[in-house]
Amino acid sequence: MKYRYITILFLIGLIYGFTFAQTISKNLNRAGFISYQTLYNGQIVVPSGQETLSDIATWKDSITGKEYALICLVSGGNGSGVAVVDMTNPNTLIYIKTIRRPGQNSTNVPHDIKVYNDIAFIAQDWEDSYWVDLKDAVDNSTNPTAGYGSDFATSSRGHNLFINTEQELLFISTLRENQKIQVFDISNVPTGNPTFIGEIEISEILDHTASSHDLYAYKTSSTTGRVFDASLRGLTVSEYSWTGSIFKVTDQWVHQYNPYRGEDPSDFTRNVMPEKNRVLHTTWLNAAKDYLFTSDEQGGGLNSEPYWINPDSVNYKRGNYMYAWDISTIKPMADSNNFRYPIKQVYEVRENSVDGSFNSSNFSLLSSEKANSIHNIVTINDMSQETAFISYYTKGVRMLDVSDPLNMSELAFYDIPGVSQYIYPVFNGAWGIDPFLPSGNIAVSSSDGFYLFHKMGNFKGSIDVDTKWTPDVAINVLGDLTVDAFTTLTIEAGTVINVSPGAKIIIDGNLIVQ
């Protein structure tokens, strides 16, 4: 009887089109979800008055083959720490435990986490950074401090971590004025502790005391490397040498950021100084290391407060652009005002839109819409294309084809509704994103909880939000897939759908075929 109903609904969809359904997902299937209440394991957290989750990392246990998510809980109190979730079965996520630093409760507030060689390195804004042997941690599921190695920060706390795996160096930013980036040799962990080897000073930018935010570091030769730091109002680039015994900064320069430069670098008419609060948030290099991607993280959305003033005297407060910088010539010439600038404003999602807007209108079409701040960017190159994975706060998860940074296209997204009532209206939603699992699944930390998504284009289980399949991505139905009641699946013309033998697509909701 169900299949007869499906056939009728399918035909109605062909005839009438169902053009009014709201699509909040495109080519991306949510595999599993755990709410922040479960992750806090009984601690009362009220998101309207405090933060919930921050960054995230993933780890595969080489002994058991299980995949885990490691999620930073930042509310403070006895429930904070790093939540461990077993996601071996994507459709059945299991909270295991919360990792803590010994002796810490309310002040144990991790902000960032990175994993290397089965070791989790955890940065805390208000306490020392520390490391944990993850194999010991998961083997002792009832002990929150199992696997704890040692503290390793020196004079300051940690805001963001980056590991240059080629040289086994750990870089820690602090997001505090006049604090330097700390550098540690982690080649001897876990048999020994991280070894402090040096610091990187951040230059002042536009007469503003420098603060280091998010980092990206890589090796340029066997004994040299380069660090990109989003220093809030610009990019600080540092070159260093590392001989295995001596760390030394050999050169440094600053890209001073102007939001109106991008489409036409020769246009000097839009010299608008950004305010002293944060502008550039994160940095990430493409695989060829000739383009750098950055994001804004501004308090956009307060339309009554002017942030940038365009030549037409229309006030906008924006904070949601992704930028591309051509760094093939690593030290570009500055303009007459000592600005160095991104080549293009390449991507933004507006308050009242679902799809990304790929125009270079320099805010002329933004009207008075509330901004949606963009947070983190990471990329993966699988030889066929380079894909950027973006955690875009209230606009959820975004995936772009960035093989050609000047001609990007949006491949997939999953919007995260219902978080505007939380403590920070613009900075709610998707915070951290990790697409580096061997399974290809995508882990995301959000204000409302932990999301796990199937690899782009792979579907099974259920579709519980309005979803669109497009020709951008081949759709693979790997197992039984149910479109839930009150949910609409839209299939655009030209979409390729591969259904595994024995798998079924069951429509309990609506089906639109264009």
Side-chain angles (χ1 to χ4, degrees):
M1 188 69 181
K2 174 179 286 188
Y3 290 96
R4 184 174 300 170
Y5 168 74
I6 291 170
T7 302
I8 295 171
L9 183 58
F10 178 79
L11 291 174
I12 294 174
L14 285 177
I15 297 170
Y16 292 102
F18 290 108
T19 58
F20 300 106
Q22 179 190 11
T23 300
I24 64 172
S25 179
K26 169 185 169 183
N27 298 337
L28 197 58
N29 181 214
R30 190 184 87 177
F33 174 77
I34 291 185
S35 71
Y36 69 89
Q37 294 99 327
T38 299
L39 297 176
Y40 275 95
N41 195 29
Q43 177 183 329
I44 302 301
V45 176
V46 182
S48 60
Q50 58 194 130
E51 294 179 275
T52 52
L53 310 183
S54 58
D55 228 331
I56 188 171
T58 59
W59 170 63
K60 181 176 181 178
D61 189 330
S62 59
I63 297 176
T64 65
K66 291 185 175 181
E67 291 186 339
Y68 295 91
L70 309 167
I71 308 153
C72 294
L73 313 178
V74 292
S75 76
N78 294 334
S80 60
V82 176
V84 181
V85 173
D86 183 345
M87 50 185 183
T88 307
N89 182 349
N91 301 110
T92 308
L93 304 178
I94 303 172
Y95 166 78
I96 302 296
K97 64 180 290 185
T98 296
I99 296 173
R100 296 192 185 93
R101 182 169 165 250
Q104 299 297 317
N105 287 311
S106 61
T107 58
N108 185 21
V109 184
H111 187 275
D112 192 18
I113 181 169
K114 296 291 189 296
V115 177
Y116 176 66
N117 279 352
D118 299 326
I119 304 297
F121 297 90
I122 301 167
Q124 302 187 111
D125 269 339
W126 305 111
E127 294 290 339
D128 288 342
S129 302
Y130 63 100
W131 64 270
V132 172
D133 189 321
L134 291 173
K135 292 180 180 178
D136 290 344
V138 298
D139 286 344
N140 296 275
S141 60
T142 60
N143 182 354
T145 63
Y148 168 78
S150 72
D151 295 346
F152 61 90
T154 55
S155 61
S156 59
R157 309 326 188 207
H159 183 77
N160 178 251
L161 305 172
F162 194 90
I163 298 175
N164 179 348
T165 59
E166 297 171 304
Q167 294 173 315
E168 296 186 299
L169 296 180
L170 172 68
F171 298 82
I172 305 180
S173 70
T174 61
L175 194 55
R176 282 167 173 77
E177 293 184 351
N178 297 319
Q179 294 283 3
K180 301 175 183 179
I181 296 171
Q182 298 176 7
V183 188
F184 293 83
D185 178 3
I186 58 172
S187 60
N188 59 342
V189 179
T191 56
N193 292 322
T195 303
F196 175 74
I197 60 172
E199 295 179 313
I200 300 175
E201 188 170 356
I202 304 301
S203 301
E204 290 190 1
I205 300 174
L206 300 177
D207 299 321
H208 176 51
T209 303
S211 300
S212 172
H213 201 280
D214 276 30
L215 307 169
Y216 189 101
Y218 70 100
K219 182 180 74 171
T220 54
S221 74
S222 60
T223 59
T224 61
R226 183 172 290 132
V227 178
F228 291 92
D229 175 50
S231 305
L232 302 187
R233 299 181 71 190
L235 282 171
T236 299
V237 185
S238 305
E239 291 187 338
Y240 65 84
S241 63
W242 169 238
T243 62
S245 59
I246 298 175
F247 179 88
K248 182 180 180 181
V249 176
T250 57
D251 197 5
Q252 188 177 78
W253 59 94
V254 176
H255 296 254
Q256 295 182 344
Y257 168 74
N258 182 334
Y260 278 114
R261 296 300 176 75
E263 184 178 9
D264 183 1
S266 64
D267 179 5
F268 298 134
T269 63
R270 296 180 173 185
N271 296 323
V272 181
M273 295 286 189
E275 64 185 23
K276 289 188 176 182
N277 292 330
R278 68 185 69 177
V279 179
L280 293 185
H281 171 264
T282 193
T283 64
W284 197 271
L285 279 178
N286 66 346
K289 294 181 171 54
D290 55 358
Y291 284 96
L292 181 75
F293 301 108
T294 64
S295 67
D296 291 347
E297 190 195 28
Q298 254 295 336
L302 304 177
N303 293 326
S304 62
E305 300 179 21
Y307 173 56
W308 294 314
I309 302 176
N310 74 4
D312 299 323
S313 298
V314 178
N315 294 344
Y316 298 114
K317 181 162 182 143
R318 305 298 300 180
N320 63 341
Y321 271 99
M322 171 181 169
Y323 296 89
W325 305 67
D326 183 353
I327 61 166
S328 55
T329 303
I330 193 65
K331 297 179 71 172
M333 295 294 293
D335 66 24
S336 58
N337 293 283
N338 198 31
F339 276 97
R340 302 180 180 95
Y341 35 81
I343 55 170
K344 194 173 186 181
Q345 299 154 350
V346 291
Y347 182 69
E348 64 105 9
V349 180
R350 303 178 189 177
E351 171 66 15
N352 297 316
S353 71
V354 173
D355 295 324
S357 173
F358 290 87
N359 58 62
S360 54
S361 58
N362 282 338
F363 316 112
S364 63
L365 301 179
L366 297 181
S367 182
S368 60
E369 291 180 1
K370 186 170 66 176
N372 291 282
S373 188
I374 183 173
H375 197 228
N376 287 331
I377 303 166
V378 299
T379 66
I380 291 179
N381 191 311
D382 63 2
M383 305 306 290
S384 62
Q385 71 179 28
E386 185 145 17
T387 304
F389 299 79
I390 303 171
S391 50
Y392 210 118
Y393 280 125
T394 57
K395 284 303 178 183
V397 177
R398 305 276 154 171
M399 298 171 60
L400 313 180
D401 181 351
V402 294
S403 304
D404 179 357
L406 297 183
N407 295 285
M408 300 186 183
S409 60
E410 187 174 64
L411 299 171
F413 63 79
Y414 185 100
D415 204 349
I416 295 180
V419 292
S420 59
Q421 74 275 20
Y422 290 5
I423 185 171
Y424 300 119
V426 176
F427 301 140
N428 297 322
W431 175 298
I433 186 166
D434 188 317
F436 301 112
L437 287 165
S439 63
N441 291 330
I442 303 160
V444 175
S445 57
S446 175
S447 304
D448 54 338
F450 166 62
Y451 289 82
L452 185 65
F453 298 96
H454 288 305
K455 185 177 180 181
M456 180 177 57
N458 289 349
F459 285 76
K460 68 176 181 179
S462 64
I463 295 177
D464 56 1
V465 297
D466 291 348
T467 298
K468 181 183 291 185
W469 292 348
T470 75
D472 298 325
V473 173
I475 302 299
N476 304 303
V477 180
L478 304 179
D480 286 356
L481 178 67
T482 300
V483 179
D484 291 351
F486 309 107
T487 300
T488 299
L489 171 63
T490 302
I491 305 175
E492 289 188 349
T495 302
V496 175
I497 304 172
N498 306 304
V499 181
S500 296
K504 300 185 295 294
I505 303 176
I506 302 168
I507 311 296
D508 287 338
N510 301 317
L511 176 66
I512 304 171
V513 179
Q514 297 172 344

